[in-house]
Amino acid sequence: DAGITQSPRHKVTETGTPVTLRCHQTENHRYMYWYRQDPGHGLRLIHYSYGVKDTDKGEVSDGYSVSRSKTEDFLLTLESATSSQTSVYFCAISERLYEQYFGPGTRLTVT
Amino acid sequence: EDKVVQSPLSLVVHEGDTVTLNCSYEVTNFRSLLWYKQEKKAPTFLFMLTSSGIEKKSGRLSSILDKKELFSILNITATQTGDSAIYLCAVEQNTGNQFYFGTGTSLTVIP
């Protein structure tokens, strides 16, 4: 398995609180991605990174920010969590011309 | 708008049946099409297709891409209960290394 971990794996938080999810890789891959997965919508891209400090928005980026200060870490922050952000969040990594590998996922519940 | 559409949404078959899953796409700057299998965890990679008409095969699974008609199929022969999963199709763009996912086909194989 590709060396990708996500933390925490499960989190319950209250509306309005900030939340940070961490993705850590040991593969030295250039590209890192954050997706959310919801019933009926499949995987939707939130943000992605194509290098240290280089990030771009995906199709559902509103309410989320990211940071990548090191090759191995990609952080996803919900500045003020809302119930609509209850979801399963997957991190993925890839190198150019190769497939993506996914982390184990984080189940986030916003009450 | 870039999109990936999978059909059928769900499928129930008996062990031993052969199934065909469909993926059509409208994505600018196409680079590759990927198939993933997702059980109760992160998606795992099955195939990457970049050229039309060349079948990729792995055991009872095979896939082919038609770049002219913008679709791919995933075939599973002699299905087993362990094939029960959600099968995801994704298209990778040449620019920005983004991946667009379909909503998936849920396959249930009953004994």
Side-chain angles (χ1 to χ4, degrees):
Chain A
D1 290 344
I4 315 171
T5 56
Q6 292 183 229
S7 58
R9 294 292 313 281
H10 301 271
K11 186 169 181 68
V12 180
T13 192
E14 292 184 349
T15 297
T17 59
V19 176
T20 295
L21 308 182
R22 180 180 183 238
C23 177
H24 178 78
Q25 61 148 328
T26 57
E27 305 296 321
N28 202 35
H29 281 8
R30 178 181 176 189
Y31 299 93
M32 298 185 76
Y33 309 79
W34 276 109
Y35 293 90
R36 59 178 291 175
Q37 187 172 37
D38 305 288
H41 289 279
L43 282 158
R44 292 181 292 173
L45 181 66
I46 305 171
H47 283 279
Y48 68 103
S49 169
Y50 45 96
V52 173
K53 296 193 189 325
D54 292 323
T55 65
D56 206 348
K57 296 179 180 179
E59 59 180 306
V60 290
S61 59
D62 287 349
Y64 302 94
S65 62
V66 290
S67 66
R68 190 167 178 201
S69 57
K70 298 185 290 185
T71 299
E72 57 266 35
D73 289 324
F74 193 32
L75 304 181
L76 177 71
T77 298
L78 291 66
E79 301 290 347
S80 178
T82 66
S83 58
S84 65
Q85 293 175 312
T86 292
S87 187
V88 178
Y89 291 85
F90 286 102
C91 174
I93 63 174
S94 75
E95 268 300 341
R96 197 167 175 82
L97 304 181
Y98 290 92
E99 66 272 17
Q100 286 185 321
Y101 293 99
F102 286 83
T106 294
R107 185 173 295 277
L108 176 67
T109 303
V110 183
T111 60
Chain B
E1 182 185 331
D2 296 315
K3 62 180 180 180
V4 177
V5 178
Q6 292 185 244
S7 64
L9 290 180
S10 65
L11 196 54
V12 180
V13 300
H14 287 94
E15 268 192 320
D17 288 350
T18 293
V19 297
T20 298
L21 310 183
N22 303 292
C23 175
S24 63
Y25 62 92
E26 293 177 27
V27 176
T28 54
N29 298 307
F30 173 93
R31 176 187 293 151
S32 66
L33 185 143
L34 302 95
W35 284 97
Y36 290 85
K37 177 182 181 182
Q38 185 176 25
E39 297 169 272
K40 294 184 188 300
K41 50 187 178 179
T44 54
F45 172 76
L46 294 174
F47 298 112
M48 173 186 272
L49 303 157
T50 56
S51 302
S52 272
I54 298 176
E55 185 182 52
K56 291 278 184 88
K57 196 169 172 64
S58 175
R60 297 175 294 101
L61 278 66
S62 64
S63 184
I64 197 161
L65 172 67
D66 186 328
K67 289 170 74 173
K68 182 179 176 185
E69 300 298 330
L70 308 183
F71 79 91
S72 173
I73 60 172
L74 175 68
N75 279 319
I76 309 174
T77 59
T79 51
Q80 303 171 358
T81 55
D83 295 327
S84 295
I86 296 173
Y87 290 84
L88 297 168
C89 170
V91 173
E92 181 191 11
Q93 278 189 314
N94 220 359
T95 53
N97 232 67
Q98 285 204 54
F99 291 78
Y100 291 90
F101 281 81
T103 53
T105 293
S106 176
L107 174 65
T108 302
V109 182
I110 53 179

